PDB file of all heavy atoms in Angstrom:
ATOM      1  N   SER A 225      -9.432   8.059  29.095  1.00 98.00           N
ATOM      2  CA  SER A 225      -9.208   7.237  27.884  1.00 98.00           C
ATOM      3  C   SER A 225      -7.708   7.070  27.646  1.00 98.00           C
ATOM      4  O   SER A 225      -6.954   8.040  27.613  1.00 98.00           O
ATOM      5  CB  SER A 225      -9.866   7.908  26.673  1.00 98.00           C
ATOM      6  OG  SER A 225      -9.427   7.277  25.493  1.00 98.00           O
ATOM      7  N   SER A 226      -7.297   5.817  27.420  1.00 98.00           N
ATOM      8  CA  SER A 226      -5.876   5.515  27.192  1.00 98.00           C
ATOM      9  C   SER A 226      -5.524   5.536  25.711  1.00 98.00           C
ATOM     10  O   SER A 226      -4.352   5.526  25.346  1.00 98.00           O
ATOM     11  CB  SER A 226      -5.568   4.115  27.732  1.00 98.00           C
ATOM     12  OG  SER A 226      -6.338   3.155  26.994  1.00 98.00           O
ATOM     13  N   GLY A 227      -6.547   5.480  24.849  1.00 98.00           N
ATOM     14  CA  GLY A 227      -6.310   5.388  23.405  1.00 98.00           C
ATOM     15  C   GLY A 227      -6.218   3.952  22.902  1.00 98.00           C
ATOM     16  O   GLY A 227      -6.158   3.707  21.704  1.00 98.00           O
ATOM     17  N   LYS A 228      -6.213   2.954  23.830  1.00 98.00           N
ATOM     18  CA  LYS A 228      -5.952   1.561  23.405  1.00 98.00           C
ATOM     19  C   LYS A 228      -6.998   1.043  22.417  1.00 98.00           C
ATOM     20  O   LYS A 228      -6.666   0.359  21.454  1.00 98.00           O
ATOM     21  CB  LYS A 228      -5.901   0.642  24.626  1.00 98.00           C
ATOM     22  CG  LYS A 228      -4.635   0.811  25.443  1.00 98.00           C
ATOM     23  CD  LYS A 228      -4.665  -0.100  26.661  1.00 98.00           C
ATOM     24  CE  LYS A 228      -3.469   0.153  27.563  1.00 98.00           C
ATOM     25  NZ  LYS A 228      -3.573  -0.580  28.830  1.00 98.00           N
ATOM     26  N   MET A 229      -8.284   1.376  22.672  1.00 98.00           N
ATOM     27  CA  MET A 229      -9.340   0.861  21.783  1.00 98.00           C
ATOM     28  C   MET A 229      -9.160   1.447  20.380  1.00 98.00           C
ATOM     29  O   MET A 229      -9.184   0.725  19.377  1.00 98.00           O
ATOM     30  CB  MET A 229     -10.713   1.222  22.368  1.00 98.00           C
ATOM     31  CG  MET A 229     -11.880   0.538  21.708  1.00 98.00           C
ATOM     32  SD  MET A 229     -11.964  -1.225  22.069  1.00 98.00           S
ATOM     33  CE  MET A 229     -11.824  -1.934  20.451  1.00 98.00           C
ATOM     34  N   GLY A 230      -8.964   2.766  20.318  1.00 98.00           N
ATOM     35  CA  GLY A 230      -8.828   3.424  19.013  1.00 98.00           C
ATOM     36  C   GLY A 230      -7.580   2.962  18.271  1.00 98.00           C
ATOM     37  O   GLY A 230      -7.611   2.746  17.054  1.00 98.00           O
ATOM     38  N   TYR A 231      -6.478   2.808  18.999  1.00 98.00           N
ATOM     39  CA  TYR A 231      -5.234   2.375  18.357  1.00 98.00           C
ATOM     40  C   TYR A 231      -5.364   0.938  17.841  1.00 98.00           C
ATOM     41  O   TYR A 231      -4.820   0.586  16.794  1.00 98.00           O
ATOM     42  CB  TYR A 231      -4.041   2.502  19.322  1.00 98.00           C
ATOM     43  CG  TYR A 231      -3.450   3.907  19.350  1.00 98.00           C
ATOM     44  CD1 TYR A 231      -4.245   5.017  19.618  1.00 98.00           C
ATOM     45  CD2 TYR A 231      -2.105   4.131  19.107  1.00 98.00           C
ATOM     46  CE1 TYR A 231      -3.715   6.300  19.636  1.00 98.00           C
ATOM     47  CE2 TYR A 231      -1.557   5.417  19.120  1.00 98.00           C
ATOM     48  CZ  TYR A 231      -2.362   6.496  19.391  1.00 98.00           C
ATOM     49  OH  TYR A 231      -1.838   7.767  19.401  1.00 98.00           O
ATOM     50  N   ALA A 232      -6.094   0.104  18.593  1.00 98.00           N
ATOM     51  CA  ALA A 232      -6.306  -1.280  18.139  1.00 98.00           C
ATOM     52  C   ALA A 232      -7.121  -1.285  16.845  1.00 98.00           C
ATOM     53  O   ALA A 232      -6.843  -2.068  15.922  1.00 98.00           O
ATOM     54  CB  ALA A 232      -7.029  -2.082  19.224  1.00 98.00           C
ATOM     55  N   ILE A 233      -8.108  -0.395  16.762  1.00 98.00           N
ATOM     56  CA  ILE A 233      -8.928  -0.345  15.536  1.00 98.00           C
ATOM     57  C   ILE A 233      -8.090   0.181  14.371  1.00 98.00           C
ATOM     58  O   ILE A 233      -8.196  -0.311  13.239  1.00 98.00           O
ATOM     59  CB  ILE A 233     -10.200   0.507  15.765  1.00 98.00           C
ATOM     60  CG1 ILE A 233     -11.059  -0.144  16.849  1.00 98.00           C
ATOM     61  CG2 ILE A 233     -10.985   0.666  14.470  1.00 98.00           C
ATOM     62  CD1 ILE A 233     -12.191   0.727  17.357  1.00 98.00           C
ATOM     63  N   ALA A 234      -7.237   1.165  14.663  1.00 98.00           N
ATOM     64  CA  ALA A 234      -6.355   1.677  13.600  1.00 98.00           C
ATOM     65  C   ALA A 234      -5.483   0.545  13.071  1.00 98.00           C
ATOM     66  O   ALA A 234      -5.312   0.372  11.855  1.00 98.00           O
ATOM     67  CB  ALA A 234      -5.487   2.813  14.141  1.00 98.00           C
ATOM     68  N   ARG A 235      -4.942  -0.251  13.984  1.00 96.00           N
ATOM     69  CA  ARG A 235      -4.085  -1.370  13.556  1.00 96.00           C
ATOM     70  C   ARG A 235      -4.887  -2.397  12.759  1.00 96.00           C
ATOM     71  O   ARG A 235      -4.445  -2.879  11.708  1.00 96.00           O
ATOM     72  CB  ARG A 235      -3.436  -2.020  14.783  1.00 96.00           C
ATOM     73  CG  ARG A 235      -2.604  -3.210  14.411  1.00 96.00           C
ATOM     74  CD  ARG A 235      -1.885  -3.836  15.577  1.00 96.00           C
ATOM     75  NE  ARG A 235      -1.530  -5.216  15.240  1.00 96.00           N
ATOM     76  CZ  ARG A 235      -1.045  -6.088  16.092  1.00 96.00           C
ATOM     77  NH1 ARG A 235      -0.817  -5.746  17.346  1.00 96.00           N
ATOM     78  NH2 ARG A 235      -0.762  -7.318  15.699  1.00 96.00           N
ATOM     79  N   ALA A 236      -6.089  -2.729  13.262  1.00 97.00           N
ATOM     80  CA  ALA A 236      -6.901  -3.748  12.576  1.00 97.00           C
ATOM     81  C   ALA A 236      -7.304  -3.278  11.178  1.00 97.00           C
ATOM     82  O   ALA A 236      -7.317  -4.066  10.229  1.00 97.00           O
ATOM     83  CB  ALA A 236      -8.132  -4.068  13.414  1.00 97.00           C
ATOM     84  N   ALA A 237      -7.623  -1.977  11.061  1.00 97.00           N
ATOM     85  CA  ALA A 237      -8.021  -1.447   9.747  1.00 97.00           C
ATOM     86  C   ALA A 237      -6.833  -1.479   8.790  1.00 97.00           C
ATOM     87  O   ALA A 237      -6.956  -1.804   7.609  1.00 97.00           O
ATOM     88  CB  ALA A 237      -8.555  -0.025   9.890  1.00 97.00           C
ATOM     89  N   ARG A 238      -5.661  -1.159   9.315  1.00 95.00           N
ATOM     90  CA  ARG A 238      -4.438  -1.203   8.479  1.00 95.00           C
ATOM     91  C   ARG A 238      -4.141  -2.643   8.059  1.00 95.00           C
ATOM     92  O   ARG A 238      -3.813  -2.919   6.906  1.00 95.00           O
ATOM     93  CB  ARG A 238      -3.308  -0.570   9.272  1.00 95.00           C
ATOM     94  CG  ARG A 238      -1.902  -0.978   8.946  1.00 95.00           C
ATOM     95  CD  ARG A 238      -1.360  -0.337   7.671  1.00 95.00           C
ATOM     96  NE  ARG A 238       0.064  -0.515   7.507  1.00 95.00           N
ATOM     97  CZ  ARG A 238       0.675  -1.645   7.183  1.00 95.00           C
ATOM     98  NH1 ARG A 238      -0.015  -2.748   7.026  1.00 95.00           N
ATOM     99  NH2 ARG A 238       1.981  -1.685   7.048  1.00 95.00           N
ATOM    100  N   GLU A 239      -4.284  -3.584   9.008  1.00 94.00           N
ATOM    101  CA  GLU A 239      -4.063  -4.998   8.689  1.00 94.00           C
ATOM    102  C   GLU A 239      -5.026  -5.455   7.591  1.00 94.00           C
ATOM    103  O   GLU A 239      -4.695  -6.319   6.787  1.00 94.00           O
ATOM    104  CB  GLU A 239      -4.333  -5.880   9.912  1.00 94.00           C
ATOM    105  CG  GLU A 239      -3.266  -5.855  10.973  1.00 94.00           C
ATOM    106  CD  GLU A 239      -3.679  -6.674  12.195  1.00 94.00           C
ATOM    107  OE1 GLU A 239      -4.853  -7.122  12.289  1.00 94.00           O
ATOM    108  OE2 GLU A 239      -2.840  -6.848  13.068  1.00 94.00           O
ATOM    109  N   ALA A 240      -6.246  -4.868   7.620  1.00 96.00           N
ATOM    110  CA  ALA A 240      -7.257  -5.277   6.638  1.00 96.00           C
ATOM    111  C   ALA A 240      -7.037  -4.603   5.291  1.00 96.00           C
ATOM    112  O   ALA A 240      -7.861  -4.742   4.387  1.00 96.00           O
ATOM    113  CB  ALA A 240      -8.652  -4.948   7.174  1.00 96.00           C
ATOM    114  N   GLY A 241      -5.945  -3.843   5.177  1.00 94.00           N
ATOM    115  CA  GLY A 241      -5.582  -3.289   3.881  1.00 94.00           C
ATOM    116  C   GLY A 241      -5.968  -1.837   3.678  1.00 94.00           C
ATOM    117  O   GLY A 241      -5.745  -1.284   2.601  1.00 94.00           O
ATOM    118  N   ALA A 242      -6.553  -1.187   4.720  1.00 97.00           N
ATOM    119  CA  ALA A 242      -6.977   0.208   4.550  1.00 97.00           C
ATOM    120  C   ALA A 242      -5.793   1.153   4.690  1.00 97.00           C
ATOM    121  O   ALA A 242      -4.784   0.833   5.319  1.00 97.00           O
ATOM    122  CB  ALA A 242      -8.039   0.562   5.593  1.00 97.00           C
ATOM    123  N   GLN A 243      -5.984   2.348   4.113  1.00 97.00           N
ATOM    124  CA  GLN A 243      -5.055   3.450   4.351  1.00 97.00           C
ATOM    125  C   GLN A 243      -5.638   4.195   5.550  1.00 97.00           C
ATOM    126  O   GLN A 243      -6.788   4.659   5.480  1.00 97.00           O
ATOM    127  CB  GLN A 243      -5.081   4.327   3.115  1.00 97.00           C
ATOM    128  CG  GLN A 243      -3.876   5.170   2.906  1.00 97.00           C
ATOM    129  CD  GLN A 243      -4.021   5.891   1.590  1.00 97.00           C
ATOM    130  OE1 GLN A 243      -4.213   5.271   0.528  1.00 97.00           O
ATOM    131  NE2 GLN A 243      -3.983   7.199   1.640  1.00 97.00           N
ATOM    132  N   VAL A 244      -4.900   4.282   6.640  1.00 98.00           N
ATOM    133  CA  VAL A 244      -5.506   4.736   7.906  1.00 98.00           C
ATOM    134  C   VAL A 244      -4.895   6.044   8.399  1.00 98.00           C
ATOM    135  O   VAL A 244      -3.674   6.185   8.456  1.00 98.00           O
ATOM    136  CB  VAL A 244      -5.324   3.653   9.000  1.00 98.00           C
ATOM    137  CG1 VAL A 244      -5.952   4.098  10.313  1.00 98.00           C
ATOM    138  CG2 VAL A 244      -5.916   2.321   8.556  1.00 98.00           C
ATOM    139  N   THR A 245      -5.769   6.993   8.747  1.00 98.00           N
ATOM    140  CA  THR A 245      -5.328   8.236   9.398  1.00 98.00           C
ATOM    141  C   THR A 245      -5.933   8.261  10.792  1.00 98.00           C
ATOM    142  O   THR A 245      -7.147   8.117  10.952  1.00 98.00           O
ATOM    143  CB  THR A 245      -5.808   9.474   8.614  1.00 98.00           C
ATOM    144  OG1 THR A 245      -5.353   9.357   7.264  1.00 98.00           O
ATOM    145  CG2 THR A 245      -5.257  10.751   9.234  1.00 98.00           C
ATOM    146  N   LEU A 246      -5.075   8.431  11.786  1.00 98.00           N
ATOM    147  CA  LEU A 246      -5.499   8.383  13.180  1.00 98.00           C
ATOM    148  C   LEU A 246      -5.301   9.763  13.796  1.00 98.00           C
ATOM    149  O   LEU A 246      -4.168  10.227  13.925  1.00 98.00           O
ATOM    150  CB  LEU A 246      -4.642   7.341  13.909  1.00 98.00           C
ATOM    151  CG  LEU A 246      -4.746   7.222  15.411  1.00 98.00           C
ATOM    152  CD1 LEU A 246      -6.148   6.828  15.832  1.00 98.00           C
ATOM    153  CD2 LEU A 246      -3.750   6.178  15.914  1.00 98.00           C
ATOM    154  N   VAL A 247      -6.401  10.409  14.158  1.00 98.00           N
ATOM    155  CA  VAL A 247      -6.305  11.700  14.855  1.00 98.00           C
ATOM    156  C   VAL A 247      -6.331  11.381  16.339  1.00 98.00           C
ATOM    157  O   VAL A 247      -7.344  10.901  16.857  1.00 98.00           O
ATOM    158  CB  VAL A 247      -7.471  12.629  14.451  1.00 98.00           C
ATOM    159  CG1 VAL A 247      -7.375  13.946  15.211  1.00 98.00           C
ATOM    160  CG2 VAL A 247      -7.466  12.868  12.948  1.00 98.00           C
ATOM    161  N   SER A 248      -5.194  11.615  16.996  1.00 98.00           N
ATOM    162  CA  SER A 248      -5.045  11.102  18.361  1.00 98.00           C
ATOM    163  C   SER A 248      -4.929  12.221  19.381  1.00 98.00           C
ATOM    164  O   SER A 248      -4.113  13.133  19.228  1.00 98.00           O
ATOM    165  CB  SER A 248      -3.789  10.225  18.427  1.00 98.00           C
ATOM    166  OG  SER A 248      -3.556   9.826  19.753  1.00 98.00           O
ATOM    167  N   GLY A 249      -5.716  12.104  20.437  1.00 98.00           N
ATOM    168  CA  GLY A 249      -5.527  12.957  21.605  1.00 98.00           C
ATOM    169  C   GLY A 249      -4.271  12.527  22.338  1.00 98.00           C
ATOM    170  O   GLY A 249      -3.597  11.565  21.932  1.00 98.00           O
ATOM    171  N   PRO A 250      -3.935  13.206  23.453  1.00 98.00           N
ATOM    172  CA  PRO A 250      -2.668  12.908  24.142  1.00 98.00           C
ATOM    173  C   PRO A 250      -2.670  11.551  24.829  1.00 98.00           C
ATOM    174  O   PRO A 250      -3.379  11.359  25.817  1.00 98.00           O
ATOM    175  CB  PRO A 250      -2.555  14.052  25.172  1.00 98.00           C
ATOM    176  CG  PRO A 250      -3.919  14.651  25.283  1.00 98.00           C
ATOM    177  CD  PRO A 250      -4.665  14.346  24.038  1.00 98.00           C
ATOM    178  N   VAL A 251      -1.926  10.612  24.289  1.00 98.00           N
ATOM    179  CA  VAL A 251      -1.791   9.271  24.884  1.00 98.00           C
ATOM    180  C   VAL A 251      -0.315   8.889  24.820  1.00 98.00           C
ATOM    181  O   VAL A 251       0.468   9.523  24.127  1.00 98.00           O
ATOM    182  CB  VAL A 251      -2.627   8.200  24.128  1.00 98.00           C
ATOM    183  CG1 VAL A 251      -4.100   8.529  24.151  1.00 98.00           C
ATOM    184  CG2 VAL A 251      -2.145   8.042  22.696  1.00 98.00           C
ATOM    185  N   SER A 252       0.039   7.810  25.535  1.00 97.00           N
ATOM    186  CA  SER A 252       1.453   7.398  25.483  1.00 97.00           C
ATOM    187  C   SER A 252       1.570   6.039  24.805  1.00 97.00           C
ATOM    188  O   SER A 252       2.100   5.101  25.361  1.00 97.00           O
ATOM    189  CB  SER A 252       2.032   7.345  26.896  1.00 97.00           C
ATOM    190  OG  SER A 252       1.192   6.525  27.696  1.00 97.00           O
ATOM    191  N   LEU A 253       1.010   5.940  23.591  1.00 97.00           N
ATOM    192  CA  LEU A 253       1.072   4.681  22.837  1.00 97.00           C
ATOM    193  C   LEU A 253       1.878   4.921  21.569  1.00 97.00           C
ATOM    194  O   LEU A 253       1.801   6.003  20.980  1.00 97.00           O
ATOM    195  CB  LEU A 253      -0.342   4.240  22.425  1.00 97.00           C
ATOM    196  CG  LEU A 253      -1.324   3.891  23.539  1.00 97.00           C
ATOM    197  CD1 LEU A 253      -2.701   3.630  22.943  1.00 97.00           C
ATOM    198  CD2 LEU A 253      -0.841   2.670  24.301  1.00 97.00           C
ATOM    199  N   PRO A 254       2.633   3.889  21.113  1.00 94.00           N
ATOM    200  CA  PRO A 254       3.318   4.066  19.828  1.00 94.00           C
ATOM    201  C   PRO A 254       2.306   4.014  18.690  1.00 94.00           C
ATOM    202  O   PRO A 254       1.288   3.325  18.790  1.00 94.00           O
ATOM    203  CB  PRO A 254       4.264   2.855  19.775  1.00 94.00           C
ATOM    204  CG  PRO A 254       3.655   1.840  20.684  1.00 94.00           C
ATOM    205  CD  PRO A 254       2.870   2.575  21.725  1.00 94.00           C
ATOM    206  N   CYS A 255       2.609   4.751  17.626  1.00 95.00           N
ATOM    207  CA  CYS A 255       1.693   4.755  16.475  1.00 95.00           C
ATOM    208  C   CYS A 255       1.733   3.385  15.800  1.00 95.00           C
ATOM    209  O   CYS A 255       2.808   2.855  15.533  1.00 95.00           O
ATOM    210  CB  CYS A 255       2.148   5.829  15.491  1.00 95.00           C
ATOM    211  SG  CYS A 255       1.075   5.944  14.062  1.00 95.00           S
ATOM    212  N   PRO A 256       0.577   2.760  15.532  1.00 93.00           N
ATOM    213  CA  PRO A 256       0.606   1.469  14.830  1.00 93.00           C
ATOM    214  C   PRO A 256       1.335   1.615  13.497  1.00 93.00           C
ATOM    215  O   PRO A 256       1.203   2.636  12.818  1.00 93.00           O
ATOM    216  CB  PRO A 256      -0.871   1.138  14.614  1.00 93.00           C
ATOM    217  CG  PRO A 256      -1.618   2.003  15.566  1.00 93.00           C
ATOM    218  CD  PRO A 256      -0.789   3.227  15.808  1.00 93.00           C
ATOM    219  N   GLN A 257       2.096   0.574  13.157  1.00 88.00           N
ATOM    220  CA  GLN A 257       2.890   0.602  11.933  1.00 88.00           C
ATOM    221  C   GLN A 257       2.037   0.883  10.703  1.00 88.00           C
ATOM    222  O   GLN A 257       0.957   0.303  10.556  1.00 88.00           O
ATOM    223  CB  GLN A 257       3.521  -0.772  11.762  1.00 88.00           C
ATOM    224  CG  GLN A 257       4.974  -0.706  11.455  1.00 88.00           C
ATOM    225  CD  GLN A 257       5.589  -2.053  11.735  1.00 88.00           C
ATOM    226  OE1 GLN A 257       5.822  -2.397  12.878  1.00 88.00           O
ATOM    227  NE2 GLN A 257       5.801  -2.814  10.703  1.00 88.00           N
ATOM    228  N   GLY A 258       2.516   1.747   9.851  1.00 90.00           N
ATOM    229  CA  GLY A 258       1.828   2.006   8.587  1.00 90.00           C
ATOM    230  C   GLY A 258       0.637   2.938   8.709  1.00 90.00           C
ATOM    231  O   GLY A 258      -0.063   3.187   7.733  1.00 90.00           O
ATOM    232  N   VAL A 259       0.401   3.453   9.921  1.00 96.00           N
ATOM    233  CA  VAL A 259      -0.740   4.353  10.151  1.00 96.00           C
ATOM    234  C   VAL A 259      -0.215   5.788  10.181  1.00 96.00           C
ATOM    235  O   VAL A 259       0.828   6.069  10.758  1.00 96.00           O
ATOM    236  CB  VAL A 259      -1.428   3.992  11.487  1.00 96.00           C
ATOM    237  CG1 VAL A 259      -2.395   5.082  11.932  1.00 96.00           C
ATOM    238  CG2 VAL A 259      -2.146   2.654  11.360  1.00 96.00           C
ATOM    239  N   ASN A 260      -0.976   6.690   9.564  1.00 98.00           N
ATOM    240  CA  ASN A 260      -0.595   8.100   9.568  1.00 98.00           C
ATOM    241  C   ASN A 260      -1.262   8.763  10.776  1.00 98.00           C
ATOM    242  O   ASN A 260      -2.486   8.822  10.840  1.00 98.00           O
ATOM    243  CB  ASN A 260      -1.072   8.722   8.247  1.00 98.00           C
ATOM    244  CG  ASN A 260      -0.949  10.221   8.254  1.00 98.00           C
ATOM    245  OD1 ASN A 260      -0.030  10.782   8.857  1.00 98.00           O
ATOM    246  ND2 ASN A 260      -1.884  10.890   7.600  1.00 98.00           N
ATOM    247  N   ARG A 261      -0.459   9.218  11.745  1.00 98.00           N
ATOM    248  CA  ARG A 261      -1.054   9.779  12.969  1.00 98.00           C
ATOM    249  C   ARG A 261      -0.940  11.300  12.972  1.00 98.00           C
ATOM    250  O   ARG A 261       0.098  11.851  12.646  1.00 98.00           O
ATOM    251  CB  ARG A 261      -0.353   9.227  14.210  1.00 98.00           C
ATOM    252  CG  ARG A 261      -1.011   9.724  15.496  1.00 98.00           C
ATOM    253  CD  ARG A 261      -0.447   9.044  16.721  1.00 98.00           C
ATOM    254  NE  ARG A 261       0.899   9.492  17.014  1.00 98.00           N
ATOM    255  CZ  ARG A 261       1.633   9.036  18.031  1.00 98.00           C
ATOM    256  NH1 ARG A 261       1.144   8.118  18.826  1.00 98.00           N
ATOM    257  NH2 ARG A 261       2.835   9.484  18.244  1.00 98.00           N
TER     258      ARG A 261
END
Side-chain angles (χ1 to χ4, degrees):
S225 168
S226 63
K228 287 178 186 172
M229 191 71 241
Y231 276 55
I233 298 169
R235 177 177 159 189
R238 155 77 168 73
E239 285 175 351
Q243 203 176 304
V244 180
T245 305
L246 172 62
V247 178
S248 174
V251 299
S252 53
L253 296 174
C255 181
Q257 228 162 283
V259 167
N260 170 34
R261 184 172 72 181

